[in-house]
Amino acid sequence: VRTAAPTDELLRAAYADARAMADLPRYRVLYEAVRRAVLSQQLVPGARLPSTRELARDLGLSRNTVLSTFEALLAEGYIVARTGSGTFVAHGAATPKVRGRRPADLARTASATSHGGPGELSRRGLRLARFRGGQRLEIQPMGGTEADFTLFPMKQWQRLQSRQLRHGHLQLLDYATQGGFAPLRRAIADYLRTSRAVRVEVEQVVLTAGTQHSLDLCAQLLADVGDTVWMEDPGYWGAQCIFEACDLKIEPVGVDAEGMNPQLAPRGSRPRLIYLTPSNQYPMGVAMSLARRRSLLQIAARERAWVIEDDYDSELRYSGRPLASLQGLDAHQRVVYVGTFSKVLYPGIKIGYMVVPVALAESFGSALYDLQRPGQLPVQAALADFIERGYFATHIRRLRQAYAERRQRLVGVLNAQLGNTGQISSQAAGLHLVVRLPDGCDDRRVQALAAERGTTARALSQYFIGPVAARGLVVGFGYTPPDQLAHHGRSVGQAVRAALRNQTPQ
Ligand SMILES: Cc1ncc(COP(=O)(O)O)c(C=O)c1O
């Protein structure tokens, strides 16, 4: 298939255009250039792209930059790779040619073909529809999508829920006002003060429909279109999706053994928001050092930036003492603390919470009502009971014990399987672990080979927002029944060995 202009010439022009349009890192410029050329059909379906080596030379980029851009475009379905013959523009990725329409209009019509619906997506809608983080990146129980909820105390929960409905307090059927059901906000405040060293009064607690909802409110109320948000890189795709949807400028900031390293932020970058997971970095599974915490809080105070601390699974630590929150260290009221019941109860409960600085509390409460008209008071009331009666604390103790055993069992199998080809680099916490693989190892290939054996292990390279800086696997163990762990651990070992055997020398 031929394009109107030779592909390399077209890409050179598109790259120059994208560069002139926005001040973005180079891989993002290239990504935007290719994406736009595909969407506008300047690059037609089936067109062959130059090799990464040629393109790198042509545009004066490093080969790694081009490789990681291609990886992102492959993952999002704009291009396809055919082994041995090259990389091509995907069929169905482009927008249909419609006579007399401008490129922006063309982008809007893509929904009709790529998603089958009659509606027209906005450009933002298109970006979101293609993101598919849930399919690509959600950490799942190793064998398929069935989570193991056998540990959830269903009977207790049923009793508390039906008790609420039996009492028939009519006010529970109304919208939730002022940040949610007051006794639950109080129970959460008490819990966070003692177990997470959060500095909190009940007025600062705002109940939401989970972390995504909390992040959305933070982005909407604390940042304007085009403002900069720092994200850990690799980082949490759920947060990335929200920030993109709010049209923020995402600046990935590298993560090392001490967590997000602000020295790796682009020079001169002035963040409005800083999103991070300091207790258990997602996905790398490292805890942020005290020195880093202090330095980030200083930056936030100096820049008048808001720090969003996503403490999604801090209850689940299997060794050492619990870590205190970042919020508790902050003397300047710049931190919004975000928590969720997704990991410690069940994901579908969709109850999360924020602890917002005193000065923001009223605005968050009223905006939540105006934007959402929240409800679900009977569930909030049952949860308040669940915490107040001590069931929550007992449940967390049981989870910790069960997950610690599962992790230990998996670590044993993986160590035996991988020897020195893979190293477990994450701390003993949370619901997944990270295996680092040698730099040349194609972790996506390992993911595919493990999937053929019925085992889910996500390629670490997919979690990078910027250039891929490490290869490895993200492996969920929490919701995997213990008697299946050895089998899945062996599948991972076989997949790694098979990928390394077939690796072509670079
Ligand atoms: C980093 C991180 N934050 C938060 C959550 C929980 O999100 P939600 O409360 O929206 O279910 C997850 C779930 O996977 C996560 O990985």
Side-chain angles (χ1 to χ4, degrees):
V1 183
R2 287 180 49 77
T3 49
T7 307
D8 49 354
E9 206 173 284
L10 217 147
L11 283 173
R12 226 176 293 138
Y15 183 76
D17 280 354
R19 236 183 136 167
M21 219 174 291
D23 180 21
L24 293 171
R26 287 175 166 208
Y27 67 90
R28 279 298 294 254
V29 175
L30 180 58
Y31 168 88
E32 282 301 329
V34 179
R35 197 173 69 88
R36 280 184 212 162
V38 172
L39 287 177
S40 63
Q41 282 206 320
Q42 282 177 291
L43 282 177
V44 297
R48 187 173 196 280
L49 295 179
S51 74
T52 53
R53 216 180 288 277
E54 282 162 358
L55 198 56
R57 197 181 44 230
D58 212 28
L59 301 177
L61 298 170
S62 79
R63 179 134 181 265
N64 271 344
T65 303
V66 180
L67 276 171
S68 49
T69 307
F70 272 33
E71 275 187 7
L73 292 161
L74 276 167
E76 289 166 33
Y78 291 102
I79 59 178
V80 288
R82 286 188 216 128
T83 323
S85 52
T87 308
F88 301 84
V89 175
H91 286 274
T95 54
K97 275 199 193 306
V98 180
R99 203 185 290 271
R101 294 240 187 148
R102 289 169 293 115
D105 297 327
L106 279 174
R108 289 200 184 93
T109 61
S111 60
T113 50
S114 54
H115 307 293
E120 292 189 349
L121 292 180
S122 63
R123 267 171 285 171
R124 181 189 306 105
L126 264 180
R127 273 204 315 270
L128 292 176
R130 290 196 190 288
F131 189 73
R132 298 203 307 267
Q135 276 172 38
R136 289 188 296 127
L137 300 162
E138 177 84 345
I139 299 169
Q140 291 179 336
M142 302 174 80
T145 52
E146 285 294 306
D148 171 19
F149 291 125
T150 51
L151 298 169
F152 183 68
M154 187 62 99
K155 283 266 155 7
Q156 276 174 352
W157 184 243
Q158 269 168 354
R159 268 201 302 276
L160 295 180
Q161 282 221 299
S162 44
R163 183 169 162 266
Q164 289 303 332
L165 295 174
R166 219 173 29 246
H167 285 185
H169 296 304
L170 289 180
Q171 63 273 35
L172 293 185
L173 303 184
D174 203 350
Y175 292 126
T177 52
Q178 294 172 340
F181 191 63
L184 179 57
R185 293 163 69 210
R186 204 172 310 118
I188 290 172
D190 292 343
Y191 164 71
L192 293 176
R193 227 178 277 122
T194 49
S195 72
R196 310 286 311 118
V198 173
R199 293 189 213 180
V200 51
E201 296 304 326
V202 61
E203 296 71 30
Q204 293 170 263
V205 180
V206 178
L207 301 180
T208 65
T211 308
Q212 291 302 88
H213 185 208
S214 300
L215 297 178
D216 192 34
L217 276 175
C218 287
Q220 299 213 44
L221 294 181
L222 302 176
D224 286 303
V225 170
D227 277 351
T228 294
V229 52
W230 281 5
M231 275 196 70
E232 296 161 321
D233 195 24
Y236 180 41
W237 52 273
Q240 183 187 350
C241 190
I242 295 285
F243 298 145
E244 290 216 4
C246 292
D247 292 305
L248 304 189
K249 182 174 168 205
I250 295 174
E251 284 191 344
V253 179
V255 168
D256 59 23
E258 293 183 66
M260 176 192 263
N261 182 355
Q263 292 191 339
L264 300 176
R267 194 183 289 266
S269 165
R270 314 259 336 244
R272 172 73 180 164
L273 300 180
I274 303 176
Y275 166 83
L276 71 174
T277 48
S279 303
N280 190 28
Q281 203 276 329
Y282 181 101
M284 295 306 283
V286 294
M288 179 171 264
S289 69
L290 186 60
R292 278 288 164 76
R293 287 169 189 249
R294 293 224 164 94
S295 116
L296 261 162
L297 291 173
Q298 269 169 10
I299 293 172
R302 191 186 68 220
E303 297 292 331
R304 300 195 61 71
W306 296 107
V307 176
I308 304 174
E309 175 178 19
D310 180 356
D311 211 26
Y312 64 109
D313 70 354
S314 57
E315 290 87 359
L316 305 176
R317 289 183 67 78
Y318 315 125
S319 71
R321 291 195 308 142
L323 285 177
S325 64
L326 181 67
Q327 192 265 13
L329 274 181
D330 175 31
H332 298 97
Q333 293 264 330
R334 302 304 304 176
V335 180
V336 177
Y337 177 94
V338 173
T340 180
F341 290 99
S342 280
K343 305 288 179 192
V344 279
L345 292 183
Y346 58 97
I349 191 169
K350 293 311 311 170
I351 298 184
Y353 48 88
M354 289 187 278
V355 175
V356 300
V358 176
L360 301 179
E362 208 179 312
S363 310
F364 267 72
S366 65
L368 172 68
Y369 187 84
D370 294 342
L371 287 168
Q372 205 74 35
R373 300 283 155 84
Q376 301 287 11
L377 288 169
V379 185
Q380 294 186 3
L383 181 51
D385 266 359
F386 189 77
I387 299 174
E388 281 161 6
R389 288 167 187 241
Y391 298 159
F392 184 59
T394 309
H395 180 53
I396 290 178
R397 274 198 300 277
R398 281 190 63 202
L399 288 183
R400 259 192 218 123
Q401 197 181 355
Y403 293 158
E405 279 170 23
R406 292 178 194 197
R407 184 181 186 281
Q408 201 175 8
R409 197 182 280 211
L410 181 62
V411 165
V413 182
L414 287 176
N415 280 339
Q417 285 286 322
L418 298 171
N420 47 20
T421 52
Q423 197 193 356
I424 293 163
S425 63
S426 48
Q427 60 180 339
L431 296 165
H432 72 271
L433 52 76
V434 175
V435 182
R436 293 290 294 273
L437 294 172
D439 279 349
C441 180
D442 179 355
D443 52 7
R444 284 174 192 254
R445 179 89 192 114
V446 179
Q447 171 177 325
L449 290 166
E452 282 172 15
R453 292 165 168 80
T455 296
T456 308
R458 301 288 192 203
L460 178 61
S461 58
Q462 299 180 106
Y463 293 82
F464 283 88
I465 306 167
V468 174
R471 305 277 161 178
L473 297 171
V474 180
V475 187
F477 57 81
Y479 299 130
T480 308
D483 59 355
Q484 296 177 17
L485 286 164
H487 160 75
H488 290 303
R490 277 195 300 275
S491 300
V492 170
Q494 288 160 358
V496 170
R497 283 193 296 279
L500 287 173
R501 253 196 321 273
N502 292 338
Q503 202 176 311
T504 40
Q506 302 239 324

